[in-house]
Amino acid sequence: MQAGRLALSRIEQLLTHAQRTSMQVADLVGQPCEAVLPTLRTTTTQAAFVHSLKLVQQNRVYCASVMADVNDPLPTIHNNTVTPLTLLPGSVSHPHHPMLSLWTPILRGSVISNIDSTHLTNLLSFNIPASQGWLLVGERWLDSAGTLHNSPRPWPAQLTSPTNRWLTHSRSLSTTPLTSPPGSVGLSSGV
């Protein structure tokens, strides 16, 4: 149980760091991509755990630290939603490597920070028996081996932090599949 609580605390720290990184580039939203791309890339490179940053205006991703000047619709997971978190199956540069995506809305648009799942799986597997560490975000879950799942599974337990805004908490000792509202996150440590 203690290892699970430590992993949960570390994941919360990753999310807080990602949001701070997003806020560092928030003033870039609305400026031309070619003018802000060097700063966006430098910030991404210097930010531990952040794989990529994207600038969004008028529901379109127009600048990405990895792909530069783009014109993509805002992913439906972030469009018209109040949840800031989602697990993605991959990115353009790494299509089969899951990411945890954090959406930070600001007055002029938004910033999306993507956290590489390798950091998450390291935390989920540290001192937690294999197959017992997982991260649930909405209806998707990431296991400690780094595999992203869309299907429900029986949840033996969920650890939570009563003080954190990122990870919602509940405890279920049931073996029936758990369904969660979008944006909820759970962590099992095999209690």
Side-chain angles (χ1 to χ4, degrees):
M1 180 85 97
Q2 187 63 22
R5 289 191 199 288
L6 180 60
L8 182 64
S9 174
R10 297 289 191 237
I11 290 170
E12 291 172 342
Q13 289 173 2
L14 288 178
L15 290 167
T16 298
H17 180 73
Q19 186 179 47
R20 283 188 192 133
T21 302
S22 291
M23 294 311 295
Q24 287 177 359
V25 299
D27 288 341
L28 303 180
V29 173
Q31 297 180 41
C33 186
E34 53 199 44
V36 299
L37 187 59
T39 302
L40 193 64
R41 286 184 170 161
T42 298
T43 303
T44 304
T45 302
Q46 293 174 347
F49 312 115
V50 175
H51 175 267
S52 61
L53 291 166
K54 297 178 181 181
L55 303 179
V56 180
Q57 193 171 40
Q58 298 175 344
N59 287 332
R60 301 210 55 89
V61 175
Y62 76 92
C63 192
S65 61
V66 175
M67 303 301 291
D69 197 359
V70 294
N71 186 15
D72 296 331
L74 184 64
T76 56
I77 49 163
H78 294 306
N79 198 6
N80 298 318
T81 183
V82 294
T83 180
L85 295 174
T86 192
L87 280 167
L88 300 174
S91 65
V92 173
S93 59
H94 297 89
H96 303 292
H97 188 81
M99 305 269 174
L100 179 60
S101 184
L102 172 66
W103 175 56
T104 305
I106 60 170
L107 188 60
R108 293 177 314 281
S110 57
V111 178
I112 297 173
S113 296
N114 291 319
I115 299 171
D116 190 306
S117 64
T118 302
H119 304 300
L120 301 169
T121 56
N122 286 340
L123 292 172
L124 293 173
S125 61
F126 182 73
N127 285 337
I128 298 174
S131 80
Q132 293 185 1
W134 49 265
L135 178 68
L136 171 69
V137 180
E139 296 182 9
R140 292 181 176 162
W141 57 280
L142 180 72
D143 65 27
S144 59
T147 304
L148 184 65
H149 304 270
N150 291 313
S151 59
R153 67 166 276 185
W155 311 111
Q158 286 183 295
L159 293 178
T160 58
S161 167
T163 60
N164 195 276
R165 64 185 179 165
W166 299 116
L167 306 178
T168 60
H169 12 309
S170 65
R171 181 170 172 83
S172 171
L173 297 176
S174 164
T175 58
T176 58
L178 173 71
T179 57
S180 301
S184 69
V185 178
L187 173 79
S188 170
S189 66
V191 177

